Amino acid sequence: MTLLRSLLSVQTRTPTSTITRRFLRLNHNHYHFYSTKSDAVLPVTIDLPKLEPSNDADLLSQIVLAHHNPFHAMESSLQLHGITLSPHLLNQTLLRLQHSSKVALAFFHYSQSLPSNSNNPRPSTSASSYNLIIDILSKVRQFDVVWQLIVQMDQNNITPISSAFLILIRRLIAAGLTRQAIRAFDDMKCFVQTENQNNNIDVNFFCFLLDTLCKYGYVKVAVEVFNRNKHEIMPNVKMYTSLIYGWCKINRIDMAERFLGEMIERGVEPNVVTYNVLLNGVCRRASLHPNERFEKTIRNAEKVFDEMRVRGIEPDVTSFSIVLHVYSRAHKPQLSLDKLNFMKEKGICPTVAVYTSVVKCLCSCGRIEDAEELLGEMVRNGVSPSAETYNCFFKEYRGRKDANGAMKLYRQMKEDDLCVPNMHTYNILIGMFMALNRMDMVRKIWNDVKGSELGPDLDSYTMLIHGLCEKQKWKEACQYFVEMIEKGLLPQKVTFETLYRGLIQSDMLRTWRRLKKKLDEESITFGSEFQNYHFKPYRR
């Protein structure tokens, strides 16, 4: 099987939407819980390979994407470049194909077809490679294929298999398939052998399940699971903290306080993370206008601070960051600066999140010069700004319709090399320049996106296609529409409707028929390739 013949792989389904990550942090490809010294169990960690500089991976991903054609097979030029596919190169290439799930799966299949020997083991036999492709496919809801890969891991004795299950559980919950996620958690016991007599590993997996359910707003399901199992598994601070976070997320502060009281009654001592979660719920969901509501929110926050001190818990930098975010939302720039100075006086070093909150407040209030001065202070203090810090400036430039100012900062961001733009950065700029009809800048940013390690995602294509439709550039819109489908990104329904309506109104019915024919051919290709996967436990 040649590489490009294997690229005729399965069609993806609707991608999941971007989710804000708070209590369960996501740092690139590293998932973890907040941990404290008082925790009696080990934190669950899913270490996926991280993106690293690699000329071979860059070249290989470009070859695969350039030669990928869903309708015609062609010989691969991989051998002509003399590249040996090692496990590390496979992982780095998959990371560069993460927004092209169909191509990534085909490339993974190709790696499995390579001969294996003692000197050069087959690269896809590592657990990290399986975890990567499972994460990529789970993002676009190819859960049937994911299950087949997990079974394949078990048959080939590839361990640890628990990370693959945790990725699957998280993505099922993100897709709203909570019952299937709980079933996958129960099925995991058949695959994962627990050797620890204290059963700590199972407790951590249970914490992961509860936390992920709460993180995506399914706290009632989490409470049901918790009540069903709390007599078998000893509740700990992580479980209660996750449940408190879940109630806060759906703005049920009363239930969050009730669970805080319950955990104290059961002898489970809350920690600074628990109170920060409650503080976050009190502050983040509160309405701050008119000014009386803002003052009430600050009083409620002070009550949480007082309770922390009564229990001997000192507020940390996260506690102050939450309050600073309230000032930012209420457009109180001077109060934000005063609170920042108060933190410094108490010897608390501001983090990038703290600085970003203040920068956001200053920018939203039009004090962009003060924000630039604070950005310089960050760098002088050794705190590297994040892409979100720069995005605060880009959003203000967007509001001012200042294309030149945004482009100047973008060039400076790349020259300073303090951080790389994220997809949100690119999407802000693309949307801004599309609205200002600066197509030259749109093309420049788009080329930068394609040349970056991230690559355009569903939001990028959607924004670009909709912008082109508004400007009645139907030919370009159709080209990008086909390109995104070939990369394995299924457009949203509104994109289909917008393109269809525009082509019909512009008397371009023939163009739409050609486009629909390509979609039908893609569906046929998907159906024929998918026959290889007979294991389909979840019906949608």
Side-chain angles (χ1 to χ4, degrees):
M1 181 179 67
T2 63
L3 172 61
L4 266 300
R5 190 175 300 277
S6 70
L7 290 175
L8 294 171
S9 191
V10 299
Q11 171 69 35
T12 57
R13 299 190 181 115
T14 307
T16 56
S17 58
T18 304
I19 303 295
T20 303
R21 300 164 176 90
R22 287 177 183 158
F23 180 57
L24 180 65
R25 292 177 178 175
L26 172 61
N27 182 11
H28 297 291
N29 291 317
H30 182 78
Y31 305 88
H32 65 280
F33 288 101
Y34 288 114
S35 60
T36 62
K37 294 180 180 179
S38 61
D39 289 344
V41 293
L42 299 172
V44 169
T45 303
I46 306 174
D47 284 312
L48 293 176
K50 296 179 176 60
L51 201 61
E52 300 173 4
S54 173
N55 293 331
D56 284 347
D58 291 336
L59 175 62
L60 189 51
S61 61
Q62 290 168 11
I63 292 172
V64 173
L65 288 171
H67 288 120
H68 169 55
N69 188 312
F71 311 114
H72 301 95
M74 63 180 68
E75 292 300 317
S76 168
S77 61
L78 178 62
Q79 291 82 5
L80 299 179
H81 291 81
I83 298 175
T84 301
L85 195 59
S86 64
H88 179 265
L89 180 56
L90 172 62
N91 291 343
Q92 290 303 310
T93 306
L94 287 174
L95 284 169
R96 286 158 173 78
L97 298 174
Q98 60 182 313
H99 292 305
S100 305
S101 56
K102 182 173 61 177
V103 183
L105 179 59
F107 183 69
F108 183 80
H109 284 162
Y110 166 76
S111 70
Q112 289 184 309
S113 71
L114 296 176
S116 177
N117 54 62
S118 57
N119 297 327
N120 186 24
R122 186 179 298 161
S124 60
T125 55
S126 66
S128 60
S129 300
Y130 272 96
N131 288 342
L132 262 180
I133 192 64
I134 285 171
D135 189 49
I136 291 170
L137 294 172
S138 296
K139 287 179 182 178
V140 290
R141 306 188 185 189
Q142 290 283 10
F143 298 122
D144 297 332
V145 184
V146 167
W147 265 110
Q148 180 68 27
L149 291 170
I150 289 177
V151 172
Q152 192 178 98
M153 288 180 70
D154 183 60
Q155 292 172 345
N156 296 332
N157 295 320
I158 297 173
T159 57
I161 200 172
S162 57
S163 297
F165 268 100
L166 296 179
I167 293 169
L168 172 62
I169 290 168
R170 180 177 182 274
R171 295 300 178 186
L172 282 168
I173 294 172
L177 304 173
T178 56
R179 296 302 171 189
Q180 291 90 327
I182 295 169
R183 209 162 83 207
F185 175 78
D186 294 335
D187 292 342
M188 182 170 63
K189 299 172 185 176
C190 301
F191 291 83
V192 180
Q193 298 297 325
T194 303
E195 298 178 357
N196 194 318
Q197 294 180 354
N198 294 327
N199 212 28
N200 282 348
I201 297 179
D202 285 342
V203 170
N204 276 281
F205 291 158
F206 187 69
C207 288
F208 182 90
L209 176 65
L210 290 183
D211 182 83
T212 310
L213 284 168
C214 293
K215 175 177 176 286
Y216 287 99
Y218 301 106
V219 62
K220 293 180 181 179
V221 178
V223 170
E224 179 185 331
V225 174
F226 175 74
N227 289 334
R228 192 165 63 238
N229 292 275
K230 66 180 179 181
H231 300 295
E232 300 176 9
I233 299 177
M234 182 67 67
N236 59 38
V237 64
K238 282 185 180 179
M239 297 179 193
Y240 275 108
T241 301
S242 296
L243 295 173
I244 291 170
Y245 172 82
W247 287 118
C248 289
K249 187 174 180 66
I250 63 172
N251 206 24
R252 288 293 305 274
I253 308 301
D254 56 328
M255 291 299 296
E257 292 174 342
R258 174 180 164 185
F259 271 78
L260 177 64
E262 179 184 316
M263 72 181 291
I264 294 172
E265 287 177 5
R266 298 193 62 167
V268 181
E269 191 65 24
N271 55 34
V272 66
V273 178
T274 310
Y275 279 106
N276 283 345
V277 166
L278 180 61
L279 181 65
N280 186 67
V282 168
C283 295
R284 298 255 177 174
R285 294 283 176 170
S287 174
L288 304 179
H289 302 284
N291 200 53
E292 290 78 9
R293 293 182 179 176
F294 165 74
E295 293 174 353
K296 180 182 178 181
T297 301
I298 295 299
R299 286 196 300 270
N300 291 338
E302 289 298 330
K303 289 180 182 177
V304 178
F305 277 106
D306 292 341
E307 186 176 343
M308 291 174 69
R309 295 188 181 100
V310 168
R311 302 196 70 84
I313 301 172
E314 280 298 319
D316 62 2
V317 64
T318 305
S319 312
F320 287 102
S321 176
I322 293 168
V323 177
L324 276 171
H325 187 74
V326 176
Y327 292 149
S328 177
R329 286 176 53 216
H331 303 293
K332 306 284 186 181
Q334 195 54 50
L335 286 176
S336 296
L337 290 171
D338 292 343
K339 181 65 74 173
L340 180 63
N341 292 329
F342 176 74
M343 287 177 60
K344 295 175 185 175
E345 291 172 1
K346 287 185 66 92
I348 299 176
C349 297
T351 62
V352 62
V354 172
Y355 276 116
T356 300
S357 290
V358 182
V359 166
K360 180 180 179 181
C361 182
L362 293 172
C363 287
S364 63
C365 294
R367 295 173 58 172
I368 200 163
E369 293 80 11
D370 293 335
E372 290 172 350
E373 183 179 338
L374 191 61
L375 182 65
E377 180 187 314
M378 286 180 66
V379 177
R380 289 193 299 271
N381 292 340
V383 180
S384 297
S386 66
E388 290 302 327
T389 312
Y390 283 100
N391 290 348
C392 299
F393 291 94
F394 289 128
K395 289 176 183 177
E396 176 61 18
Y397 284 126
R398 181 179 61 186
R400 297 184 179 192
K401 299 181 179 180
D402 186 358
N404 295 330
M407 206 63 192
K408 180 181 177 182
L409 180 63
Y410 176 69
R411 292 193 189 99
Q412 180 187 336
M413 181 183 184
K414 296 180 70 176
E415 290 171 2
D416 293 345
D417 200 26
L418 294 173
C419 71
V420 295
N422 59 16
M423 285 310 304
H424 192 201
T425 307
Y426 289 124
N427 291 341
I428 291 171
L429 294 173
I430 290 171
M432 172 186 177
F433 294 140
M434 288 289 291
L436 296 176
N437 203 26
R438 298 292 298 270
M439 298 307 296
D440 55 332
M441 292 185 175
V442 171
R443 292 187 184 92
K444 174 175 174 48
I445 298 298
W446 187 258
N447 289 334
D448 288 350
V449 176
K450 296 185 76 172
S452 71
E453 297 173 338
L454 300 171
D457 61 2
L458 175 65
D459 293 336
S460 306
Y461 275 108
T462 301
M463 187 175 297
L464 185 63
I465 292 170
H466 281 253
L468 291 170
C469 289
E470 289 176 4
K471 302 181 187 311
Q472 298 187 0
K473 296 182 181 292
W474 305 113
K475 184 178 179 180
E476 290 183 63
C478 290
Q479 288 175 347
Y480 287 113
F481 187 79
V482 172
E483 180 182 310
M484 73 181 295
I485 292 173
E486 290 181 353
K487 290 183 67 174
L489 296 171
L490 187 63
Q492 297 173 350
K493 182 181 178 182
V494 65
T495 308
F496 278 105
E497 293 173 346
T498 301
L499 197 55
Y500 171 75
R501 186 167 53 248
L503 289 172
I504 296 300
Q505 291 175 354
S506 300
D507 197 23
M508 297 177 69
L509 183 60
R510 184 176 298 177
T511 303
W512 171 255
R513 284 173 178 167
R514 286 200 300 267
L515 195 64
K516 189 174 184 302
K517 183 180 178 182
K518 285 194 174 185
L519 296 178
D520 292 339
E521 290 174 351
E522 186 76 358
S523 298
I524 293 171
T525 303
F526 163 73
S528 61
E529 291 291 334
F530 210 74
Q531 290 174 0
N532 297 326
Y533 297 94
H534 305 292
F535 191 70
K536 298 181 181 181
Y538 297 148
R539 297 288 181 181
R540 285 174 293 280

